[in-house]
């Protein structure tokens, strides 16, 4: 793989595997190549006995903009990411090694799913978040599997249904983040969590993670299968295709009422 094709970087140091999303040209959108490389990096970190903690980082001003909507147009739209993205979220959620998401910028839709799948998530205070799916005619089905266990029902109803943007402080209040910090404190905060996690015995950490995952981990394969089908239906449906077209054409979709 040439450097131009490398959308995810993998480095290790002192027991920490850092996996860095590096596709800033499309705001680290979850394209098929990026998803494949992220999955391979996760497997590499999990299989490496010297790795104790995994940090999910990014380059550019955006952590992750969600699915690559250029792949979501046309006859096969319902299959875009429908098979590998749930597996990716499940791999993050069930990793025997603690995963820290480090955000120096915003996350949207599927990107928020990644954040929720991590054990610990830290973002700069000016990072923003949104579940934008309904505004493009689709459903936040797949990411709901990792997001809903993190946030309260009242917040979920508000944010899933409105698609409104919310800030990092709100994200911390509802449980999506562990901390929202000034930009100049992000590295130190993540390092503090890394150090605290490294004090734990590897097997004990893995067993504790399994305990914490509880029923969600046990039912995850079946739930993802149902959510995959729902997601595929809406991505390929009339509303989904109109919403994606409107988004790419920078216009309102046809279901938005005209205002006088």
């Amino acid at each position: 793989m040439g450097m131009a094709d490398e959308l995810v970087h993998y480095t290790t140091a002192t027991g920490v595997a850092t996996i860095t999303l590096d596709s800033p040209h499309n705001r680290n959108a979850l394209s098929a190549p990026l998803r494949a490389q992220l999955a391979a990096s996760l497997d590499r970190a999990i299989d490496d006995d010297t790795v104790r903690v995994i940090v999910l980082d990014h380059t550019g001003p955006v952590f992750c903009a969600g699915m690559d909507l250029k792949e979501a147009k046309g006859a096969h739209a319902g299959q875009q990411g429908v098979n590998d993205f749930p597996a990716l979220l499940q791999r993050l959620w069930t990793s025997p090694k603690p995963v820290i998401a480090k955000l120096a910028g915003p996350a949207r839709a599927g990107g928020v799913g990644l954040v929720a799948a991590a054990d610990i998530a830290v973002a700069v205070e000016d990072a923003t978040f949104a579940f934008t799916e309904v505004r493009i005619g689709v459903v936040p089905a797949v990411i709901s599997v990792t997001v809903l266990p993190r946030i309260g029902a009242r917040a979920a109803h508000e944010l899933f249904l409105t698609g409104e943007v919310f800030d990092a402080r709100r994200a911390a209040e509802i449980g999506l983040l562990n901390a929202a910090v000034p930009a100049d404190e992000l590295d130190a905060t993540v390092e503090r969590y890394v150090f605290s996690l490294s004090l734990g015995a590897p097997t004990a950490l893995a067993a504790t993670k399994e305990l914490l995952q509880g029923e969600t981990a046990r039912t995850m394969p079946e739930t993802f299968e149902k959510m995959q089908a729902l997601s595929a239906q809406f991505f390929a449906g009339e509303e989904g295709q109109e919403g994606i077209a409107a988004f790419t054409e920078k216009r309102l979709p046809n279901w938005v009422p005209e205002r006088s």
Side-chain angles (χ1 to χ4, degrees), residues 204-215:
L205 282 171
T208 302
K209 277 205 58 173
E210 187 173 352
L211 177 154
L212 291 167
Q213 290 158 9
E215 188 64 20

Side-chain angles (χ1 to χ4, degrees), residues 235-251:
F235 265 104
E238 183 179 341
E239 285 185 348
Q241 289 300 292
E242 162 61 14
I244 292 165
F247 178 84
T248 57
E249 295 165 13
K250 295 181 170 53
R251 60 173 175 82

